[in-house]
Amino acid sequence: MKRERAAYWLSQALDGELSPRRLRRLEKLLTEDPALADLQEQWLAIGQSCRAQSVEPPQTPEAAWQNVQRAIRLSQDEVAEPTPTAVVGGLWRWGLSVAAVLLLFAGTWWGLRPTGEPWATVPVAERTQVEWVESDLPDAISMVYEDEDTGLTVIWVMMDDVQEDNGYAG
Amino acid sequence: MRAEQILQRWIAVLLLCGGLGPVGWLHQAGAQTVTVEAMLIHASDRPAALDARMDRVEYRLRRIFQFEHYGLLNITQSAMTLPSQTRLDIGHGYVLQLDASQRDGRVRAQVDWYQGNTRLMSTSVQQRRNVPAILGGPPHDGGTLILVLEFR
């Protein structure tokens, strides 16, 4: 009975579940009972053997995914291994990329460049000449204006009652 | 006898060519074909749809006038052999009558702008090709009409 209790305590001690007080008593029993000490050694050996042959716990999905990512990364690194051909190809790609960007900028600049033509003023010698202007509208006032900014000639008839709203900038 | 007939026909052909040649030269010297374009625009402070066909002139109009929006009502083009007269239906009940001729490298045109039987404007201008003249002023639909007249 005492041996059975001691074996139970030994099992608890190996599992780390024995209280300090009982652990002290077990240590005393181990020194007094060689058979109990042998049992302890056997159980320790079995434990070590089991740990040595233990199977790894099943892989979690997160760990499996990390492994997949690692494998992909490693395979890409292998593909990107800089060989002389790859370096030359890389330079070509860089060159083409830079050329494409420059072309894009050039195209944008060309499209948005200030050509001068949109704001070109019509030269004085080419401006429209107005000989006369009249209107049959009652109370209409005719006027001719040469806009200096654009060089265009404006021929305008203004109703007497809408002169305030004509929007004319001149 | 047969050879004589052939000779007579050749002489007739040569005389005909000789006569028509100067006529053709005179015709070329005096007559020129131009394309007249009339762009009818409604200027107002009400929003109007953008029209790419006005790109050439809208920025100029914005420099000249103070309207907020310019809406294209119609574009009319017609070929004219100078000198000649033509009548252009420029849309929305408006009509242009043009009497154009060539003078000193310019197109001299009398322009009569009608709405029905009412002559909104009558003017005589001398224009270079590709230099538009801006006519306008008549009220229309809460705004003002602008007519961009150009010979090309």
Side-chain angles (χ1 to χ4, degrees):
Chain A
M1 189 69 181
K2 189 176 179 182
R3 170 67 60 83
E4 287 177 359
R5 178 176 292 274
Y8 177 69
W9 284 0
L10 180 60
S11 174
Q12 283 190 318
L14 290 173
D15 291 339
E17 296 172 352
L18 195 64
S19 66
R21 187 172 62 87
R22 287 181 177 174
L23 186 59
R24 281 194 297 275
R25 287 182 62 185
L26 176 64
E27 287 172 351
K28 186 180 177 183
L29 287 172
L30 284 170
T31 56
E32 293 171 352
D33 185 353
L36 188 62
D38 288 343
L39 185 62
Q40 183 193 29
E41 286 181 8
Q42 286 175 16
W43 284 2
L44 285 173
I46 291 170
Q48 287 175 355
S49 174
C50 287
R51 280 192 292 275
Q53 296 176 4
S54 66
V55 179
E56 288 186 3
Q59 198 174 35
T60 61
E62 292 78 10
W65 175 239
Q66 286 180 355
N67 286 340
V68 170
Q69 288 182 315
R70 187 182 305 111
I72 293 171
R73 190 170 60 248
L74 289 174
S75 65
Q76 285 177 340
D77 290 345
E78 286 174 5
V79 170
E81 193 71 26
T83 61
T85 310
V87 169
V88 173
L91 288 175
W92 268 107
R93 279 197 291 273
W94 269 104
L96 287 174
S97 301
V98 170
V101 170
L102 288 176
L103 198 63
L104 187 66
F105 274 107
T108 306
W109 173 82
W110 183 259
L112 300 176
R113 75 192 194 284
T115 57
E117 194 266 336
W119 300 110
T121 304
V122 178
V124 174
E126 295 187 3
R127 292 181 183 177
T128 299
Q129 296 170 3
V130 180
E131 296 176 352
W132 49 264
V133 56
E134 60 186 27
S135 174
D136 290 349
L137 293 172
D139 300 324
I141 298 172
S142 306
M143 60 178 293
V144 176
Y145 170 73
E146 196 171 87
D147 184 68
E148 284 304 318
D149 280 347
T150 61
L152 294 178
T153 302
V154 178
I155 308 164
W156 204 256
V157 289
M158 221 167 0
M159 308 305 115
D160 199 26
D161 55 344
V162 294
Q163 288 183 32
E164 301 292 330
D165 303 323
N166 60 42
Y168 184 57
Chain B
M1 189 67 179
R2 192 174 176 181
E4 192 176 331
Q5 283 180 344
I6 291 173
L7 184 63
Q8 284 177 351
R9 285 179 184 174
W10 269 110
I11 290 170
V13 168
L14 288 174
L15 286 174
L16 189 63
C17 289
L20 288 178
V23 172
W25 179 80
L26 286 172
H27 182 263
Q28 279 203 338
Q32 272 197 330
T33 301
V34 295
T35 298
V36 58
E37 180 183 278
M39 190 181 290
L40 189 63
I41 294 168
H42 182 237
S44 72
D45 295 332
R46 290 183 312 189
L50 295 174
D51 194 315
R53 293 175 295 174
M54 279 204 309
D55 286 351
R56 261 183 331 111
V57 296
E58 187 180 2
Y59 68 94
R60 290 173 165 167
L61 297 179
R62 290 191 182 282
R63 305 263 305 200
I64 299 171
F65 303 106
Q66 291 179 339
F67 295 104
E68 288 288 329
H69 302 283
Y70 299 85
L72 181 63
L73 296 180
N74 197 24
I75 291 183
T76 309
Q77 286 188 341
S78 179
M80 291 183 73
T81 302
L82 303 182
S84 68
Q85 298 176 352
T86 192
R87 173 188 165 93
L88 295 180
D89 181 354
I90 57 174
H92 294 263
Y94 297 99
V95 170
L96 275 190
Q97 280 192 350
L98 298 174
D99 184 355
S101 59
Q102 179 91 7
R103 176 186 284 188
D104 301 330
R106 290 171 175 257
V107 177
R108 181 178 183 274
Q110 179 174 334
V111 183
D112 293 313
W113 183 1
Y114 285 93
Q115 181 185 28
N117 293 324
T118 306
R119 193 172 59 166
L120 302 176
M121 180 190 290
S122 181
T123 184
S124 179
V125 295
Q126 292 185 32
Q127 280 183 255
R128 288 277 190 194
R129 288 191 185 200
N130 303 312
V131 177
I134 312 296
L135 287 66
H140 176 87
D141 193 19
T144 303
L145 287 177
I146 294 175
L147 181 70
V148 179
L149 185 67
E150 185 173 354
F151 293 94
R152 295 177 187 155

